[in-house]
Amino acid sequence: WLINGETGLVADPVTASSLAASLDDVLRDDALADRLGDAGRTRVGRYFSTERVASQLSALLRSVVRQPAGGA
C-alpha cells in the first residue's frame, strides 16, 4: 500500500487540482520522483514478492481446507 510522502503521494480523488498538484510535484522534482520510486520498488519487493504472496495464499488455502464443512 502507498505511504504518503514515502512511496507515493496521496491526492484527493474528488479534486482534480489535488491530483494535478501531486503530479506537478513529481514531474518538477527529479529527486522526489527518484526517492518515491526507489522506496516503492523496495516496498513491493519486500511485501509483495511472488514468493511471499504465494506463501501467504498457500497458508490461507490450507487453513480453509482444514475447516469443517459449513465453516464452523
Side-chain angles (χ1 to χ4, degrees):
W1 290 241
L2 183 133
I3 301 170
N4 191 35
E6 183 179 325
T7 60
L9 300 176
V10 174
D12 179 357
V14 177
T15 309
S17 61
S18 174
L19 176 59
S22 292
L23 288 171
D24 192 50
D25 288 345
V26 173
L27 292 172
R28 291 180 185 269
D29 187 341
D30 290 339
L32 174 64
D34 288 343
R35 184 172 52 80
L36 294 174
D38 289 344
R41 276 186 294 281
T42 298
R43 185 166 174 78
V44 166
R46 182 176 298 137
Y47 295 104
F48 304 102
S49 69
T50 303
E51 294 81 13
R52 184 176 174 126
V53 171
S55 175
Q56 291 173 335
L57 179 58
S58 178
L60 173 65
L61 292 174
R62 281 193 304 274
S63 73
V64 170
V65 169
R66 284 192 294 260
Q67 300 249 339

